[in-house]
């Protein structure tokens, strides 16, 4: 390939990646240390950065350079992969070998650019400003338990997202929501997800009814307080065991735990601490640590290109849910961790390990998604998916959202919120304007079950390793099969290569039924 064409593309990607990192840092600060009075200025800063990013991404000169680089690749005999179907994702035929790093970076860049060039710069800036304003309004609405304080902002974000979707264009035979999905899970469509969620509900609802009817195990934490500093130190100990490099990342505290990767060598996690619930911080750290390991495992040699990014948000969620649930709620893991928990909190010294394990895996109908167990969790996501579809299809108005939420919780989980803060206002995603994001949590759960099953086959000593606190063999297996590939291939193709299976619920169902069958008292 003529180096001048690639050099132009590479320089453009390097600038775009740097701008992404700067915007990500401002977002992290916005959620951790930003003074309340600085919110308006932060919105202006993010708006300017995102506008500049959009301007550079859509510049005609970059488009010309991409075309020239793609033409040179074809001349060299490289396959011209135009999308996930050609690359073996979403039902396509797998290629013999992964694409070259240059081709993979070009494919990722073109995907992002083709969407961006259709969106006016004015709309990009408006979205950034409204996201910052909505975030402030959401926090105040939660504190006051007043959905009406947030509703106008959600109306505005919904209108802006509709405008964005219409600018990008609905795929043939698809619908508005498909365009939002595509931004998080490339190639995913409502026509595929709706039947999958219906299938999940078909066996999850009766499973929840059966498990929730069992006598609840004793709660070893009830009525006790647990020193937040000791909780904090335990989370850092677990992060270190997982192999998260604290020289290339950090953990802080926030209301809603999250992970942001500025670069594989600068990854920011947050967790939250509750004096009466020490496992909340622990599971948040395991979850965000899984995200963080993925970010740190991305191909650092390509850190200045679009190859150095997760294949999809669903695959990202698979990493967090794998560590949080398939590792963090497993019996072998607690053989190692329980003594350390008891050492920090002597009040737990007499807790029976089997009883503790049952308590950690208690299944109950709860109102809060982030605190729900792994059996009920996807029903929380199913509700949000249903509501988002209704809003995009125009069958659900924002003003009717609280009632629809409460009715849906009653129908799917048999519980009903009494306050907006524990219902429709509990998640931050809509304040960020992240419509289309929620389904990636369920996609991630399904991928996680398949990946863990494959890892168990490949690592016959895995249970023994977990029981001894040796977590690096699992991290290294995930790094080899998932992390290091970045965006070289679509997410489903990476999972298929690692497990022999694409997106399906069979592994997840088998995991839950085997685990909770064995946990019967």
């Amino acid at each position: 390939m003529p180096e001048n064409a690639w050099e132009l593309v590479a320089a453009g990607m390097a600038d775009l990646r740097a701008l992404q990192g700067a915007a990500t840092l401002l977002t992290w600060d916005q959620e951790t240390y930003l003074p309340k009075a600085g919110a308006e200025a932060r919105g202006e800063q993010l708006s300017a950065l995102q506008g500049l990013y959009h301007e550079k991404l859509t510049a005609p000169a970059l488009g010309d350079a991409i075309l020239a680089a793609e033409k040179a690749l074809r001349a060299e005999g490289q396959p011209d992969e135009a999308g996930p179907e050609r690359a073996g994702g979403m039902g396509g035929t797998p290629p013999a070998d992964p694409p070259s790093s240059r081709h993979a970076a070009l494919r990722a860049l073109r995907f992002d650019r083709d969407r961006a060039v259709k969106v006016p710069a004015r709309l990009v800036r408006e979205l950034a400003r409204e996201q910052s304003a909505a975030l402030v309004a959401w926090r105040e609405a939660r504190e006051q338990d007043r959905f009406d304080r947030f509703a106008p902002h959600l109306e505005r974000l919904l209108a802006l997202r509709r405008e964005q979707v219409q600018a990008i264009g609905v795929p043939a035979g698809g619908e508005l929501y498909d365009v939002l999905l595509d931004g998080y899970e490339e190639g995913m469509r409502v026509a595929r997800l709706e039947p999958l969620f219906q299938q999940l509900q078909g066996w999850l609802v009766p499973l929840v009814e059966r498990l929730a009817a069992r006598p609840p195990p004793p709660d070893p934490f009830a009525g006790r307080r647990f020193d937040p500093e000791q909780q904090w130190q335990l989370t850092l100990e677990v992060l270190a065991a997982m192999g998260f490099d604290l020289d290339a990342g950090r953990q802080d505290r926030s209301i809603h735990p999250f992970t942001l990767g500025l670069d594989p060598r600068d990854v920011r996690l947050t967790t939250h601490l509750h004096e009466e619930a020490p496992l909340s911080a622990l599971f948040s750290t395991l979850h965000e640590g899984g995200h963080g390991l993925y970010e740190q495992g991305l191909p650092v040699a390509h850190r200045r290109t679009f190859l150095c990014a997760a294949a999809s948000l669903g695959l990202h969620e698979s990493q967090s849910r794998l560590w949080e649930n398939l590792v963090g709620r497993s019996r072998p893991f607690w053989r190692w961790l329980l003594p350390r928990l008891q050492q920090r909190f002597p009040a737990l010294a007499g807790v029976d390990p089997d009883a503790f394990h049952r308590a950690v895996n208690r299944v109950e109908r709860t109102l809060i998604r982030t605190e729900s167990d792994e059996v009920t969790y996807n029903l929380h996501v199913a509700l949000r998916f249903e509501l988002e579809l209704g809003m995009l299809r125009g069958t659900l108005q924002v003003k009717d959202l609280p009632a629809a939420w409460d009715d849906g919780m009653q129908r799917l989980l048999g519980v009903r919120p009494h306050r907006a803060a524990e219902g429709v206002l509990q998640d931050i995603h809509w304040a960020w304007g992240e419509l289309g994001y929620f389904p990636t949590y369920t996609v991630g759960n399904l991928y996680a079950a398949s990946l863990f099953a494959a890892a168990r086959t490949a690592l016959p000593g895995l249970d023994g390793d977990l029981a001894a606190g040796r977590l690096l063999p699992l991290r290294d297996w995930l790094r080899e099969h998932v992390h290091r590939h970045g965006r070289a291939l679509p997410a489903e193709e990476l999972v298929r290569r690692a497990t022999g299976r694409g997106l399906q619920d069979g592994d997840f169902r088998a995991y839950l039924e085997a685990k909770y069958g064995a946990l019967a008292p």
Side-chain angles (χ1 to χ4, degrees), residues 24-333:
T24 299
L25 181 59
L26 288 180
T27 302
W28 169 81
D29 177 71
Q30 180 175 251
E31 290 300 304
T32 50
Y33 298 116
L34 179 71
K36 186 176 181 178
E40 183 178 358
R42 182 54 42 87
E44 293 166 355
Q45 294 155 7
L46 284 168
S47 175
L49 273 178
Q50 290 174 21
L52 180 58
Y53 179 90
H54 184 265
E55 179 183 321
K56 283 185 169 292
L57 181 59
T58 59
L62 180 60
D64 293 342
I66 292 171
L67 283 171
E70 289 172 336
K71 183 178 179 180
L73 275 177
R74 287 194 296 272
E76 291 179 2
Q78 293 280 356
D80 180 19
E81 295 176 335
E85 287 78 14
R86 296 287 298 278
M90 301 306 166
T93 302
D97 295 297
S100 71
S101 60
R102 285 189 178 184
H103 175 76
L106 279 169
R107 192 196 73 83
L109 175 61
R110 173 163 288 288
F111 177 82
D112 289 358
R113 188 178 188 278
D114 284 351
R115 286 172 61 91
V117 293
K118 300 172 183 176
V119 181
R122 180 265 315 160
L123 178 56
V124 173
R125 291 178 181 271
E126 283 187 35
L127 268 167
R129 283 194 295 268
E130 186 55 44
Q131 285 164 340
S132 291
L135 191 59
V136 174
W138 171 77
R139 289 200 184 108
E140 293 175 351
R142 271 177 58 96
E143 290 172 2
Q144 299 169 19
D145 202 35
R146 293 277 304 275
F147 178 73
D148 61 304
R149 297 293 180 90
F150 174 61
H153 294 275
L154 183 55
E155 291 269 17
R156 179 63 176 152
L157 284 170
L158 184 61
L160 291 170
R161 286 299 185 201
R162 281 180 175 277
E163 186 179 351
Q164 179 190 41
V165 162
Q166 288 161 352
I168 293 171
V170 176
E175 57 181 288
L176 296 178
Y177 197 81
D178 288 332
V179 182
L180 297 175
L181 271 177
D182 214 23
Y184 300 114
E185 197 70 25
E186 184 184 345
M188 187 58 69
R189 298 289 180 262
V190 171
R192 190 170 183 200
L193 277 183
E194 268 196 304
L196 182 61
F197 272 106
Q198 289 298 323
Q199 184 169 309
L200 279 166
Q201 290 175 51
W203 61 266
L204 274 175
V205 170
L207 179 62
V208 170
E209 290 176 355
R210 189 167 74 248
L211 296 179
R214 293 175 178 175
D219 182 356
F221 306 107
R224 294 171 172 163
R225 296 280 176 176
F226 298 88
D227 179 17
E229 181 56 32
Q230 288 296 323
Q231 292 185 45
W232 179 257
Q233 293 302 322
L234 183 64
T235 65
L236 294 178
E237 184 177 356
V238 169
L239 274 180
M242 292 169 68
F244 183 79
D245 184 358
L246 285 166
D247 287 332
R250 57 180 290 134
Q251 180 178 252
D252 291 275
R253 306 177 192 192
S254 67
I255 296 172
H256 188 108
F258 66 93
T259 297
L260 291 173
L262 286 70
D263 180 273
R265 294 174 292 193
D266 186 357
V267 179
R268 311 296 177 94
L269 319 179
T270 69
T271 192
H272 55 190
L273 304 174
H274 301 296
E275 281 192 79
E276 72 284 1
L279 292 192
S280 182
L282 176 67
F283 286 125
S284 291
T285 291
L286 282 164
H287 181 102
E288 303 306 334
H291 282 307
L293 290 178
Y294 193 177
E295 290 291 326
Q296 289 187 342
L298 291 170
V300 69
H302 303 286
R303 53 177 289 273
R304 291 161 60 87
T305 80
F306 276 39
L307 179 56
C308 186
S312 80
L313 268 294
L315 195 59
H316 225 313
E317 288 300 330
S318 78
Q319 302 307 286
S320 59
R321 300 297 283 178
L322 186 152
W323 283 100
E324 177 189 359
N325 289 328
L326 288 100
V327 172
R329 298 181 193 274
S330 71
R331 190 182 298 272
F333 178 75

